[in-house]
Amino acid sequence: MKVVFIGASSLAVATASHLIDADYEVIIIENNKDVIDNLIGKVDCVFIHGNGCKPAILQETDPNSIAVLFCLTKSDEANIIASLVARSLGFKRVITRIEDPEFEHICVELGLNETIVPTLTNARYLANIAAGRHIHELSAMIRGPVRLFSFIADEADAVPIDDLALPKQSRVIYCYRDNQYLPIDHDSTLKQGDEVVLVTTSEDYEKLQNKWGNGKAK
């Protein structure tokens, strides 16, 4: 299985090393030649020197053969642009790293449903440890084909949950309304602008993305 990283950040290199140990084929795209020269011989992967936001550079990786593309540069804007370009080129999965939480809602509106905010995640994790709360690893709870999906509700989605006509194995579990967590019951009604989070399966994920992949119903 092949995985691509845009940006040779410490997070990218650490993740790449784990995947290489698990027999994944890894490609790292990095714009700084000095960084690549420093990593060659330390990380057993293919390096591409260039701007990962450029379609021609991404095309060199053969998008149809790539399982996951991670956009992990130090620039939120570059990661978002690279993610959108990658989506247009047909990459199956695109993971977008952002540091500024204000971009999170924008990413969802753009259909970048697999966005990570490492600083915020780590801060919550450490705060929970300090408070003595029991921490469950997300990876331990989400197994096999189970996936999470989110979208921004538009005017057409402002209906009772039961009227969304979701695939059989998909359920709305909660939403954010005005940045506030809101639990969902079977008789709850969505409002325009709600960020809706569903639990689904790999099989149904594509169906949901076809409907809400760009942040609005198609």
Side-chain angles (χ1 to χ4, degrees), residues 40-70:
I40 289 177
K42 298 178 182 178
V43 184
D44 185 17
C45 69
V46 173
F47 289 96
I48 296 177
H49 178 220
N51 184 344
C53 295
K54 298 289 187 179
I57 296 294
L58 291 175
Q59 288 281 19
E60 289 186 32
T61 68
D62 186 13
N64 291 329
S65 70
I66 304 302
V68 186
L69 171 72
F70 290 94

Side-chain angles (χ1 to χ4, degrees), residues 43-180:
V43 184
D44 185 17
C45 69
V46 173
F47 289 96
I48 296 177
H49 178 220
N51 184 344
C53 295
K54 298 289 187 179
I57 296 294
L58 291 175
Q59 288 281 19
E60 289 186 32
T61 68
D62 186 13
N64 291 329
S65 70
I66 304 302
V68 186
L69 171 72
F70 290 94
C71 299
L72 303 181
T73 76
K74 296 179 181 179
S75 166
D76 290 353
E77 292 86 347
N79 290 335
I80 292 171
I81 292 171
S83 297
L84 294 173
V85 172
R87 284 272 303 274
S88 73
L89 295 176
F91 282 85
K92 299 179 184 70
R93 290 186 66 190
V94 178
I95 312 297
T96 311
R97 171 186 175 171
I98 56 173
E99 288 298 332
D100 187 343
E102 290 188 15
F103 282 117
E104 191 171 13
H105 192 273
I106 293 172
C107 286
V108 174
E109 289 183 330
L110 292 172
L112 302 177
N113 296 305
E114 295 189 275
T115 300
I116 58 172
V117 190
T119 301
L120 193 57
T121 299
N122 291 336
R124 287 170 178 164
Y125 186 86
L126 293 174
N128 280 325
I129 290 176
R133 300 188 184 102
H134 181 65
I135 306 297
H136 291 286
E137 289 288 345
L138 186 61
S139 59
M141 293 185 287
I142 299 179
R143 304 186 185 100
V146 177
R147 303 277 298 278
L148 294 179
F149 180 88
S150 66
F151 69 93
I152 302 296
D154 66 8
E155 185 176 357
D157 301 318
V159 296
I161 293 295
D162 288 345
D163 292 347
L164 284 178
L166 297 173
K168 186 176 181 180
Q169 300 182 86
S170 301
R171 299 287 186 278
V172 175
I173 51 177
Y174 64 90
C175 76
Y176 290 105
R177 180 173 295 165
D178 299 324
N179 291 320
Q180 298 296 314

